[in-house]
Amino acid sequence: MDYNILIGGAAGQGMDTLASAFSQVLHKRGYQIFTLQDYMSRVRGGHNYFQIRFSDEKVKSHSEVLDGIIALNQETLDLHIGRLKPDGFAFADVEVKSDDKRLITIHAKETAKEAGNVKTMSSVTLGALIKLFNMDEAFMKEIFSEKFDVELTEQNMASFKRGQEMVESRYEIGKGNPEKTMLIQANEAIALGALASGLKFYSAYPMTPSTSIMSYLTRRAKKAKMIVEQAEDELAAINMAIGASYAGVRSMTGTSGGGFSLMTEALGLAGIAEIPLVIAVIQRPGPATGLPTRTEQSDLKFVINASQGEFGRMVIAVRNPEDAFYQTARAFNMADKYQLPVILLGDQYLSDALQTIEPFDLEKISIDRHLADPKPYEEGKVYNRYELSENGISPRLIPGIVPGTAVNIDSDEHDIIGNITEAAEVRIDMVEKRARKFDLLKQELIEPDLLGEENMDILLVGWGSTYSQLSEAVDMLNEVGKNKYGALVFGDIWPLPQKKLMEKARKAKAIINVEQNYYGQLADLIRQETGIAMTASVLRFDGRPLSASEIAKKVKEV
Amino acid sequence: MADIHDFKTFETAWCPGCGDFSILESLEGTLAELGLKPHEVLIVGGIGQAAKTPQYLNANGFAGLHGRALPPAAAAKIANHNLKVIINTGDGDSYGEGGNHFIHNIRRNVDMTHFVHNNQIYGLTKGQSSPTSDIGHVTDFTPDGVINQALNPILTAIALGAGFVARAFSGDKDHLKEMMKEAINYNGYALVDILQPCVSFNKVNTFAWYKKRVYKLTGDESYNPNDKIGAMTKALEWGDKIPLGIIYKEEKKSYTDHFEFLRESTLLEIPYDKKLIQSLIEEFVQ
Ligand SMILES: Cc1ncc(C[n+]2csc(CCOP(=O)(O)OP(=O)(O)O)c2C)c(N)n1
Ligand code: SF4
Ligand SMILES: [Mg+2]
C-alpha cells in the first residue's frame, strides 16, 4: 500500500488545514507519511500544494505519480491532472470544470453552508477523502479541538460527517503500524535537537525557509527557560549569538543564504576569537532574493569559503529529520570542543517536508561543554585565553566565574592573553595553533552513509537532503538494471571525509554526482580535495526537488 | 585576588594628549569607586581608537567587529546579568557602521552602559569625517567641507526612547566619572556621549573648542531631566553652547526584567531539564 495525494489551491483557501488534518489522522492511525510542501512567496493567491504520500511501510521521499488530487481551484486540476494515475481520483467543488471521468464533484461550499458555517468547507472535503480510504471519524474530534474552540469543532465535525456521506469507500488500506512514530519537519528537529543540547539563546532575523526554527523555539521558549531574540538584522543575530556564547551559554543563530551573506564577517570573528557557535543555514535558490520558497543546494561552496582570512569551520549537511536532531546535538559538542563555528546546512525541501520517523532517543546524545576546570585558576594559576597548547585547543573559561580572573577575546590577532598584537612570531603561533585544532577535528569526521549495493558498479554521490530520494532511487535501479548501484550521501561535508569515497571510487566503473544545483558543487569539492572526477552528473536547478524516479531515470540516461 | 587597582595594566597605542586617556582613567576610577572586581565587569568594544579600551583594562574584554559592539554586549548581559556590561567605542563605530544596532538596542533596553568616545572623526583610519562631524568640517577626505548633516546622538536617543541619555567631556574628569557612575547604576540601556578631542585628526573640535562651549546642567535646579520635551529641546543645543550632564532620564523595566525565569538566577545558571526535553519530544509522538 503506497498512496500519494495532492491537495492544492490558492494561498488562503484552507488547504493548510486540510493537509495538516489529513496528515495527523494518518499519523495517529499508524501510517508512515512523507508530506512535500510546494508554495509561492505570497500570502494570498498563487498556486500552492501539499503532496501527502502514505503507506503502512517506511515512506522515504515524495513521488511524482498521484493517486488523488484535491483541487480547491481550477488551476490545481489543470496543472496536475497529467500526473494522475488512470485509476486515480480527483475531488473538486462545482466551480471546477472538467470532462475527465476521474473527477468527483464535492459540493463542499454548499454543504458547509447547510451544516452551519461556510468556513468549514475543507472539512466536508476531508470527510469525503477519509471515507474514500475507508476510514471512520476516529481522532477527528481530537484533531479539530486542538485547533478550534468548542463551537467551531462542532461545526467542523458536522461538515466532516456530511462529507463522509458523499462518497463510497474505494480503497482498502489495512491497519496502520502500532509502533510509535514522530511526525516532524527537519527544521523542528534542528530546533528540538538544539533544546536537547541545552540551547539557551537563539537570535535570528526571519528568512524563509529558516524561520520555522525560530517559530518552534519561540513557542517553547518560556517552558524551556530560554531566550529567543528577533534581531534587527543578521549582523546583530550572529554577533548576539557570539556574545551569548562568550558569556557561557549555548547559543545559536539560523538563516538562509541572504542572511548568511550578512553574517560572514562575524563568522570569522567566531573563528579568530575561538568562540563556539552553531549556525543553521537553510538554503533556497539564489543569488540575491532568488526563489524564496523553493529548494536548492547551491550554498555549499559559499558556506565552506565564507569570510575573509583562514580559519577552521565545520559544515554538516542535514539529511533527514533524525539526522537533523542528532547532528545538531553533535554540532554543539564539536563547536564547544574545538571552539569554532559549526554550520548545519539544510534546504527548503527538507525543512518543510513533514515525515514520520522513529522517536528521538535522548540517551543517544550527550552534552559535552569542554570547559576548563576553574579550580586551578581559583587557586592562583594565571589564565591565558589563548594558551598555546599542544593540540591547539586552549582552556576556555566563562567570564565572571573565577574571582579576579578576566577572560579576554579579540577579533584582532592577539597574544595568549587575548590582547591585540602585530608581532610576526605571535601571528605565526596563533595561526598554527588554530590549524592544529582543526587538524584534530578531521579525525572525528563521520564518513558518508552508503545506500544500496556495497560493491557497486555505478557509484552515486550526493549530500544533504537528497538522501531520501537517493535511497529510494538506488533501490529502483537495483531492482531492474544489470549494473549494481550504490550511493554515498555526505552529512559531514567540510572538512570532507575521504576514506569511504576513495575506497568506493577506486572500484566503481562510473561515478555520478546527484545535486540540486547547476555547477555540481559537491563534484567540485571532491575533485579539489581528492582529485577524483565525476563521470557524469544529474543536476536540477529549477527550484523543485529531484524525485527518486527522476534520479533513477536520469542515471540510466547519462 | 586581584583588586580594584588592577584594572589598569596595559600599555596603550594612543597619541599623547588624546582624550581617550582621560576616559580610560575615569573609567578605571569609576569601577574602583564602585567596588567592582575585574571578573565582574565586561568591557566591550567594536573597532577603532576608542574601541581599544577593553585591551587596556584588566577586566573581561570583548574586542569585537567594527560597528558590532552592542549586539554581543547585549547578549552577554542577557546570558549572565550578573556581569556589569560596559561598551566603550567610537562615534563612527556606534552611529555609523553600527547605526542599526544603536537604534534597536535602545528599543531592546538591555541593562548596559554605552560610552561613546565622540571625537567627531574617524581616528583609526586617519581622519575621515564621522556621522557627528559638523557641516563644513574640512578633512583630507572632505576638502570642500562636510555636506551631510551631523547626527545628533542625544536627540536621536531620546526620540528613540532611551531611558538614560547624558553628555560628558573628557576634559572634565570629575564630571565624567559622575556621569559614568550614574549610567552604570541605571537599570537599562544608558548612553553617555563623551566629547573627546582627537589631537591628530580633528583640527576643528579641539580641546579648547570644547572647553569654550561646554557648561554643566548638574546643579541647575531649573532643568528637569525627566521632562522628555524639555530634554529634546535641550538636546538641540549645539554650537556656541553645549550642555553636559544627564539630559534625559526615565525609569523603566530593562530587558531581563521581563522574564520570570531570570528573577532568581541568570540564564547561565538555569539547569538542563531533561524531563522537559523528553516531554517536548513526546508532543510529536503518536
Ligand atoms: C567592516 C569594517 N569596515 C571598516 C573598517 C575600518 N575602520 C576601522 S575603525 C574605523 C572608524 C573608526 O572611527 P570611530 O569609530 O569614530 O573610532 P575612533 O578611531 O575615532 O575612536 C573604520 C572605518 C573595519 N575595521 N571594518
Ligand atoms: S588618532 Fe585621535 S583618537 Fe586616535 S589616539 Fe590619536 S588623538 Fe586619539
Ligand atoms: Mg571617532
Side-chain angles (χ1 to χ4, degrees), chain A residues 258-269:
Chain A
F260 188 68
S261 296
L262 298 181
M263 291 183 177
T264 52
E265 192 189 18
L267 186 74
L269 170 62

Side-chain angles (χ1 to χ4, degrees), chain B residues 179-224:
Chain B
M179 289 300 106
M180 284 181 160
K181 248 180 244 171
E182 292 266 1
I184 290 170
N185 285 333
Y186 175 76
N187 175 33
Y189 170 83
L191 172 71
V192 184
D193 188 70
I194 307 167
L195 303 174
Q196 171 241 324
C198 165
V199 295
S200 296
F201 297 108
N202 192 335
K203 304 296 183 196
V204 179
N205 312 99
T206 59
F207 183 86
W209 190 93
Y210 288 123
K211 186 84 188 158
K212 210 169 90 191
R213 289 166 171 79
V214 295
Y215 72 97
K216 280 181 269 194
L217 290 170
T218 324
D220 179 353
E221 297 283 305
S222 67
Y223 186 69
N224 176 12

Side-chain angles (χ1 to χ4, degrees), chain A residues 104-161:
Chain A
I104 304 167
T105 303
I106 304 286
H107 297 267
K109 204 185 222 166
E110 211 181 287
T111 311
K113 213 185 283 174
E114 282 167 22
N117 188 347
V118 169
K119 286 188 186 146
T120 63
M121 57 188 272
S122 61
S123 293
V124 176
T125 314
L126 184 64
L129 180 62
I130 282 185
K131 176 75 174 299
L132 202 73
F133 283 94
N134 201 17
M135 294 184 278
D136 58 19
E137 72 253 33
F139 305 111
M140 280 325 300
K141 201 158 185 171
E142 189 185 327
I143 290 168
F144 286 139
S145 61
E146 266 172 36
K147 224 176 156 136
F148 306 119
D149 62 15
V150 180
E151 195 188 348
L152 256 179
T153 301
E154 283 310 318
Q155 287 170 343
N156 275 289
M157 275 311 289
S159 288
F160 178 86
K161 282 181 182 151

Side-chain angles (χ1 to χ4, degrees), chain A residues 220-280:
Chain A
R220 297 291 173 270
K222 208 178 280 169
K223 233 185 187 178
K225 296 187 179 156
M226 68 159 306
I227 298 284
V228 180
E229 180 64 7
Q230 184 179 321
E232 55 271 30
D233 52 34
E234 287 85 351
L235 300 157
I238 188 168
N239 279 286
M240 287 188 88
I242 290 173
S245 177
Y246 161 77
V249 300
R250 279 197 159 171
S251 73
M252 179 175 174
T253 183
T255 185
S256 189
F260 188 68
S261 296
L262 298 181
M263 291 183 177
T264 52
E265 192 189 18
L267 186 74
L269 170 62
I272 193 167
E274 305 194 47
I275 297 172
L277 178 67
V278 176
I279 312 167

Side-chain angles (χ1 to χ4, degrees), chain B residues 225-266:
Chain B
N226 304 321
D227 167 24
K228 198 160 188 170
I229 299 297
M232 289 175 95
T233 309
K234 185 57 79 185
L236 287 167
E237 242 177 69
W238 179 264
D240 293 341
K241 288 182 80 190
I242 302 172
L244 300 182
I246 299 172
I247 314 283
Y248 184 67
K249 191 173 176 186
E250 173 196 346
E251 301 294 336
K252 50 178 143 187
K253 274 189 180 177
S254 76
Y255 184 96
T256 43
D257 296 338
H258 293 277
F259 298 90
E260 189 92 43
F261 59 83
L262 294 182
R263 299 265 156 81
E264 254 100 82
S265 74
T266 63

Side-chain angles (χ1 to χ4, degrees), chain B residues 27-170:
Chain B
L27 182 59
E28 280 162 34
T30 304
L31 296 176
E33 284 167 33
L34 288 173
L36 291 163
K37 304 274 176 253
H39 69 281
E40 296 167 332
V41 179
L42 168 61
I43 312 285
V44 181
I47 293 294
Q49 297 288 64
K52 285 185 181 150
T53 309
Q55 313 262 4
Y56 303 151
L57 274 169
N58 179 27
N60 293 305
F62 188 107
L65 296 169
H66 184 45
R68 317 293 161 217
L70 294 177
K77 179 73 186 188
I78 294 169
N80 179 2
H81 60 254
N82 287 339
L83 291 172
K84 276 279 175 215
V85 177
I86 296 167
I87 301 113
N88 279 78
T89 201
D91 45 326
D93 197 273
S94 301
Y95 307 137
E97 187 83 325
N100 204 28
H101 311 310
F102 175 54
I103 295 174
H104 294 281
N105 277 292
I106 289 175
R107 294 180 49 232
R108 196 167 273 131
N109 199 33
V110 172
D111 179 19
M112 57 185 183
T113 311
H114 189 182
F115 295 135
V116 180
H117 302 210
N118 184 0
N119 53 12
Q120 301 184 255
I121 206 85
Y122 281 8
L124 186 63
T125 45
K126 300 194 163 56
Q128 300 83 7
S129 63
S130 94
T132 52
S133 302
D134 289 318
I135 286 184
H137 189 137
V138 175
T139 71
D140 286 352
F141 300 83
T142 49
D144 299 322
V146 168
I147 56 171
N148 294 350
Q149 300 169 55
L151 179 131
N152 181 332
I154 304 286
L155 183 61
T156 307
I158 299 171
L160 289 169
F164 185 102
V165 185
R167 183 187 280 121
F169 172 42
S170 65

